[in-house]
Each structure stands twice: as C-alpha cells, then as structure tokens.
Amino acid sequence: MVTIKSKKEIELMKEACKVVALTYQELEKRIKPGMTTWELDQIAEKTMRSLGAIPAEKGYNIGIKGVPPYPATLCVSINDEVIHGIPSKNKVIREGDIVSIDTVALKNGFNGDAARTFIVGKASKEAERLVQVTKQAFFEGIKFAKPGYRIGDVSHRIGEYVHSQGYSVVREFQGHGIGREMHEDPGIPNYGKAGRGIRLEPGMTLAIEPMVIQGKPNILQLDDGWTIITEDGSLAAHYENTILITEKEPEILTIL
Ligand code: MF3
Ligand code: CO
C-alpha cells in the first residue's frame, strides 16, 4: 500500500530526515584513511542518538530466510562492494577508496533514508566519474518525481542516464516508499519503462537510490548474508535521498 502523508506526518518525517543529513555532515568531516568502518559506525550511532533518533538499520530484518538481522547503524561498502557492507574493526579505509554509506534514522516513529559515496583522499579519475554519475542519476530521476508522471518515468530516466555514461545499474535492489516503515510501496527500480507504474501524488515520500556499477551489472552475495559485491570486481557507487512529492518540484528531505 502506498501511503500519503498528512501535513503533520510530513513535519515529523522531515525531522528524521534531518538527522540523516546531519549524520552525513559529521561522517564527511571525520572519514579519513586509516580508520576502520566500525569507527565510522560508532560516530554515526552517537550522532543519531544525540539527535534523539534511533539507528533503524540496527536489528532490521530484511525478511529473507537465513539472513540474520542487520547488526549495525551503517552499511559501509568499499570499492567493489555495492551495498550492505557490515562495519568491522578489521576493515580499514584506505586512501583512494570509494566508500558507500547507507543509513536510516528513526525519529517520531518515522524513517529517513539516504546514502552517499565518499571518495577518501585522492581516487582515480574513473572512480570520481562513477561517483559523480551515480549522484547525477538521482537528480536525473527526480526530474520526473512530480504529479503528471509515474514511477516508471523516474526509473526509466535513471537507467537511461546511467547507461548513456557507460555504466550498469543493479537490478536486484531498488528504491522504495518510506514512512513509518523503512520499506513501503512502491518499489522503485533503477531501470524500467517510461509511463508504467503508479502515478505520483503529493504527500508520497520516496527513497530514490541509484546503485551503479562500473562494469557488468551482475552481483554476488557474501557468506555473511548481507554484503553485496560486483561479480566482475569493478567499482560500485550508491547515492540516495528521501524525497517528498509536492504539487511542483520534489523536496529533498535528507539534504540540509
Ligand atoms: N538503507 C537501505 C535502503 O536504502 C536498507 C539497508 S538494509 C538494512 O533501503 F538492514 F541495513 F537496513
Ligand atoms: Co533505501
């Protein structure tokens, strides 16, 4: 079921989304070569809790048999890791890495969801381009995130743009509605046919999240039950915001 949020609910949701934006502001300041992904996770959890929010990914059950509840505040996925990398004291961030972080804050009973890919120190030109294209794919997609268009128009534009840049989109994971639940209807693939799917209406809140691979689109899942990597070992990037559909342009709730 697609939920339309009331004015009051939107106000509450904005607070949850603001916590996510502030958490990224803190992470961007503090991410450095030599740190572990566990240290990043600690920073994020402290930041969220200090802002009155709960890290919603911690303990989250994705609902797939055999997959344990997610153990951390952040997903931290480095280089050829696409999404859902689990923070670890053994995992050190190095100069030149691209580090995709995805996190969800729960505040006032509502969720805010966003992802960023950080370039640590100086990375290759090709890595920089991948990160830039992934971010732009989000902005291309949301050009269609308004009344008069359908979900398929957003999906189609994201896929079309990414492919035009010579990259692939992940097909097995997608964006989603968001609100009291982290994942609500509709699902929002990063590819698809224009003119298909539900019509966009004011009051819908959506997490749009291009996951882009430099090489082939195929992915593998590691034995931890979570981490997704590229099959060909090429780099991957992720960019996501929670947005609100309005009468006119969408509002991006997870950017300050
Ligand atoms: N935040 C992710 C998303 O963008 C969900 C990650 S699964 C979790 O939809 F278990 F880590 F929460
Ligand atoms: Co999401």
Side-chain angles (χ1 to χ4, degrees), residues 24 56-62 67-75 83-85 101-104 112-115 173-178 182-183 207-209 211 226 238 240:
Y24 280 120
E57 291 187 345
K58 207 168 205 176
Y60 185 76
N61 220 310
I62 205 165
V67 178
Y70 192 74
T73 295
L74 302 179
C75 296
I83 49 170
H84 300 169
I101 302 183
D102 187 354
T103 195
V104 182
D113 185 0
F173 294 88
Q174 58 183 5
H176 48 94
I178 180 167
M182 184 192 298
H183 294 131
I208 313 261
E209 49 180 316
M211 291 158 258
W226 281 102
H238 188 193
E240 172 180 29

Side-chain angles (χ1 to χ4, degrees), residues 96 98 119 122-129 214 235:
I98 63 168
I119 295 178
K122 191 116 192 70
S124 68
K125 276 274 158 298
E126 205 24 49
E128 276 181 24
R129 191 174 79 87
Q214 198 177 31
L235 299 175

Side-chain angles (χ1 to χ4, degrees), residues 2-192:
V2 180
T3 57
I4 302 290
K5 278 76 179 177
S6 68
K7 246 183 143 157
K8 183 80 220 296
E9 288 174 321
I10 288 164
E11 285 319 305
L12 295 175
M13 199 143 159
K14 281 183 177 175
E15 276 192 53
C17 288
K18 190 171 177 198
V19 170
V20 175
L22 289 167
T23 302
Y24 280 120
Q25 193 176 59
E26 187 66 18
L27 289 171
E28 184 166 22
K29 250 193 284 177
R30 296 186 54 187
I31 189 168
K32 294 272 159 20
M35 272 173 104
T36 67
T37 58
W38 182 83
E39 287 176 275
L40 281 179
D41 198 75
Q42 293 296 107
I43 291 166
E45 179 163 0
K46 283 205 186 87
T47 306
M48 271 189 199
R49 292 197 191 279
S50 76
L51 296 167
I54 292 167
E57 291 187 345
K58 207 168 205 176
Y60 185 76
N61 220 310
I62 205 165
I64 302 172
K65 218 178 125 224
V67 178
Y70 192 74
T73 295
L74 302 179
C75 296
V76 187
S77 311
I78 303 177
N79 297 334
D80 64 322
E81 294 171 349
V82 186
I83 49 170
H84 300 169
I86 301 175
S88 160
K89 288 182 177 172
N90 298 322
K91 211 142 185 201
V92 179
I93 292 164
R94 303 197 188 281
E95 170 93 22
D97 281 347
I98 63 168
V99 181
S100 298
I101 302 183
D102 187 354
T103 195
V104 182
L106 177 69
K107 189 173 176 178
N108 309 315
F110 284 90
N111 291 279
D113 185 0
R116 302 283 181 262
T117 300
F118 295 109
I119 295 178
V120 180
K122 191 116 192 70
S124 68
K125 276 274 158 298
E126 205 24 49
E128 276 181 24
R129 191 174 79 87
L130 174 70
V131 171
Q132 193 46 47
V133 165
T134 305
K135 180 174 181 180
Q136 187 58 32
F138 165 85
F139 286 97
E140 291 297 321
I142 68 164
K143 289 177 181 170
F144 296 89
K146 48 189 169 190
Y149 292 107
R150 294 172 183 264
I151 284 294
D153 296 311
V154 176
S155 296
H156 175 256
R157 181 58 195 146
I158 292 172
E160 176 184 63
Y161 173 71
V162 169
H163 294 136
S164 78
Q165 299 300 308
Y167 297 138
S168 304
V169 295
V170 173
R171 298 162 301 193
E172 293 83 350
F173 294 88
Q174 58 183 5
H176 48 94
I178 180 167
R180 289 192 184 276
E181 302 295 329
M182 184 192 298
H183 294 131
E184 298 184 354
D185 288 337
I188 311 170
N190 291 307
Y191 65 95

